[in-house]
Amino acid sequence: MVGILGGSGLYDIDGVQIIEEREVRTPYGEPSDRFVIADYKGKKAVFLPRHGKGHKFPPHLINYRANLWGFRKLGVKKILSVSAVGGINPLLRAGDFVIADQFIDFTKVRPVTFYEGAYTIVDEDDPNDDLVKEYLSNDRVVHIDVTEPFCPVMRDLLKKVLSETGERFHGKGTYAATEGPRLETSAEIQALSRLGADIVGMTLVPEIVLARELSMHFASLNVITNLAAGISGERLTSDEVIQMMKEKNNIIREIVLRFIEDLPEKFDCSCEDVLKGAAI
Ligand code: HPA
């Protein structure tokens, strides 16, 4: 089953048949909202707005571990994350889509792992029986490989779906994750640009890292809602972010639905092997 994490301005998905809404308990605390389990053309998907309905949680206070653990408890193994981002690379325009292929992490105060060694929190109700459970039950310290953090199969499918929409999109891009909730200074954006970042946002990390720690496949679809600080010379507002996400709502929905429909059952990639040999 695929999980969809919606970002700013994307709090639900129309066009699917809702089967049930589930509150999921986790030992990490409360997920951002109820999980909405839905059917689209015979395929099941689970939707969660990462900021909660009504945008209750700022990026640095989202309970990323609870969100990812909730997906795990519902049997989700693949996650499509949709986010609003600022554009840094001068080739990018507001309204473009970017499928991230790398990230650089500048976050500071977030729980970043499930594997905390002697301090590990174990879920006695974990329904799975896998390496995640084994490592957590034995208080192991785990260092996952993130050389290529995103699932190549999901990225290829996103490229195919996007090329069929006629929207302007970029098949790769480096996402700089900042701590927020403030936006960046223009000096910070210049520095991020020199470091090779194409886009900037506040939520991809630790979301991708935690998903990967659970051996999940993960893809990140980003909408450029604004040019990053200092690039256009204009002051930035949350209004323009939400306005752009509203404008793109229909097309995002179409992309997500086609993605759900076309997602293959079997994946030819190594995402599920990431825990092998990763524990000390
Ligand atoms: N910076 C950080 N996060 C963002 C931005 C931005 O310019 N736009 C949308 N999310």
Side-chain angles (χ1 to χ4, degrees):
M1 185 153 61
V2 60
I4 312 292
L5 269 162
S8 300
L10 188 66
Y11 306 109
D12 48 33
I13 295 274
D14 295 339
V16 294
Q17 200 179 348
I18 295 175
I19 301 170
E20 58 171 330
E21 293 197 7
R22 287 275 290 275
E23 243 170 58
V24 182
R25 291 184 162 274
T26 90
Y28 307 101
E30 301 265 313
S32 297
D33 214 310
R34 290 181 175 180
F35 291 81
V36 178
I37 304 178
D39 177 279
Y40 182 66
K41 298 194 177 172
K43 299 243 183 153
K44 266 172 126 189
V46 188
F47 183 78
L48 183 71
R50 74 164 68 77
H51 296 282
K53 286 213 180 79
H55 208 110
K56 290 184 290 234
F57 304 110
H60 66 299
L61 295 177
I62 290 171
N63 194 338
Y64 295 94
R65 289 200 298 192
N67 289 352
L68 271 301
W69 196 258
F71 274 127
R72 171 176 164 87
K73 286 188 106 166
L74 294 172
V76 168
K77 297 250 186 309
K78 298 151 195 155
I79 294 194
L80 172 60
S81 157
V82 183
S83 303
V85 293
I88 298 178
N89 187 320
L91 295 173
L92 300 175
R93 297 187 204 150
D96 286 4
F97 286 89
V98 180
I99 302 162
D101 71 326
Q102 283 291 330
F103 69 79
I104 311 178
D105 178 17
F106 295 100
T107 63
K108 295 175 189 149
V109 299
R110 310 168 182 203
V112 290
T113 182
F114 289 107
Y115 304 102
E116 299 195 292
Y119 304 105
T120 297
I121 300 168
V122 179
D123 186 350
E124 303 301 340
D125 295 328
D126 181 4
N128 302 279
D129 189 14
D130 56 6
L131 264 186
V132 173
K133 189 169 196 171
E134 188 185 317
Y135 288 171
L136 290 174
S137 318
N138 291 294
D139 291 352
R140 302 285 294 274
V141 170
V142 175
H143 302 284
I144 55 158
D145 172 84
V146 279
T147 310
E148 297 295 337
F150 300 100
C151 174
V153 177
M154 292 176 83
R155 289 189 52 234
D156 281 348
L157 177 56
L158 274 179
K159 283 185 223 170
K160 178 181 155 279
V161 169
L162 273 147
S163 61
E164 287 164 5
T165 62
E167 290 287 303
R168 244 177 81 95
F169 79 97
H170 310 271
K172 62 183 189 145
T174 297
Y175 180 124
T178 54
E179 182 62 22
R182 68 168 175 84
L183 293 158
E184 298 73 33
T185 64
S186 53
E188 284 170 332
I189 293 301
Q190 279 176 42
L192 294 177
S193 172
R194 291 196 185 112
L195 290 175
D198 299 300
I199 53 180
V200 58
M202 302 176 192
T203 55
L204 180 65
V205 182
E207 204 168 81
I208 164 69
V209 178
L210 294 168
R212 205 162 159 78
E213 281 196 345
L214 300 180
S215 295
M216 292 173 178
H217 306 261
F218 190 102
S220 158
L221 175 64
N222 301 282
V223 182
I224 311 254
T225 51
N226 56 282
L227 298 184
I231 293 185
S232 74
E234 303 283 321
R235 190 173 77 88
L236 305 181
T237 64
S238 295
D239 289 350
E240 66 188 308
V241 171
I242 297 301
Q243 180 58 33
M244 178 60 82
M245 290 306 274
K246 270 198 189 132
E247 276 172 35
K248 293 285 171 183
N249 192 280
N250 275 342
I251 188 72
I252 293 172
R253 184 175 58 97
E254 196 182 315
I255 294 165
V256 169
L257 293 183
R258 283 209 211 168
F259 183 86
I260 295 170
E261 193 181 349
D262 290 355
L263 202 63
E265 273 306 314
K266 280 247 165 265
F267 276 32
D268 183 18
C269 60
S270 55
C271 300
E272 289 178 31
D273 295 332
V274 75
L275 289 179
K276 289 184 189 156
I280 302 278

